[in-house]
Amino acid sequence: MAKWWAITGPAKTELTNGVGEAAFTVTNVTATAVRGLVRVMPEGTAKPEMFKVVGESTLDWAPNETKQVTVQINGQGAPPGSYVFTFAVVSEADPSELSDRLSSAFDVGAAPAAKKFPIGILVGIVAGVLVIGGVLFWLLSRGDDGTPAAATTASPAAESPPPAETPTPAPPEPPRADCLGYDPNALNLVPEPGGYLITDGGSRMLFLTDPTNANNAYRVARSFSQHCFIGRSNPRPNRRDYIVEYWLDPSGIATPPEDACTTYDRGALQVVDQGAQGFVVTDGGGLQVLVDNEQDAQLARQLARSFTRRCFIAEGTPDEVEYWL
């Protein structure tokens, strides 16, 4: 592989209140001027929205010139744990070349526990309220001449407030058993013999033959940052119908098309054993998801309960791409 840059930077960045900055030094090790593209690629459970390159992400280097690139990190709201990302610089002339990269990490800690109210102050306040209440009751219960006032009839109780509504349970998280994370900012739609390739420069994600289908699939891929499957590891021979494809973690970069979607009732979902044909997840209406075994059926039911629409690009053709909204 060609080597254009020498990259140095922190192996780990300390965050303050969930935010911080990682500074990377990038040196052009060639004797020619070159334009480079800065890439920040989340790994594992890290999300693209956690990272932001300060300034321009496309820079020009003179021969042997050194530049510093700062990456802002925001882990606020993320679950506690350790997160990893890759910092890379690629040549604009060949953005698929990722030989110049550096792995870095940061930790997100648990939110600080709320301070407990001092028990001594609380006891003092309660005692004071009881004393003052007792004195007021004694004063108000006596007549003008100092004799106890006559008892009064209690007024009717105020109308009871309506019972609180039972909150609707939140839908479950979709399964993440077979997912590939990628950087939606790095995706390209590349013409190839016989069709179009969608790639992030590191993996060949999708290949479609029709230009309209390819553009729609590219729009779907840029809308998310995780590409996932159920049943891909054990499909029946020549039966793609048993694989469920879906996408997770919206990127905010694009919006997937919604003109080929089936709406269903996720509260009516059930798993039906079809014998030799496999298992079907259905709402009793338009949703029919066919899988190979009961374990995959339960994963597909969990997936369907997390969304309300199942969508396709070029359904039933070699260009088919499935996504859920």
Side-chain angles (χ1 to χ4, degrees), residues 42 48 182-188 200 218 221-225 251 253:
Y182 62 93
D183 180 6
N185 288 293
L187 289 177
N188 289 296
D200 62 354
Y218 177 64
R222 282 177 56 83
S223 301
F224 303 93
S225 60
S251 68
I253 298 174

Side-chain angles (χ1 to χ4, degrees), residues 2-6 26-38 57-67 89-95 97 100:
K3 185 171 180 63
W4 295 86
W5 290 275
V26 183
T27 301
N28 176 10
V29 297
T30 71
T32 60
V34 65
R35 171 168 290 184
L37 310 178
V38 177
S57 58
T58 301
L59 301 171
D60 292 301
W61 276 263
N64 300 309
E65 182 183 6
T66 297
K67 291 181 181 289
V89 181
V90 299
S91 167
E92 186 182 52
D94 186 9
E97 178 60 68
D100 305 314

Side-chain angles (χ1 to χ4, degrees), residues 3 5 41-42 50-51 55 70 76 125 132 180 191 202 220 235:
K3 185 171 180 63
W5 290 275
M41 295 173 288
M50 290 180 170
F51 309 98
T70 300
Q76 292 180 334
I125 292 174
I132 294 172
L180 169 67
V220 170

Side-chain angles (χ1 to χ4, degrees), residues 22 49 189 192 195 229 235 257 273 278 281 295 297 308-309:
E49 57 266 25
L189 184 60
E192 288 196 349
F229 297 89
D273 187 349
V281 178
Q295 180 179 358
T308 59
R309 284 167 292 171

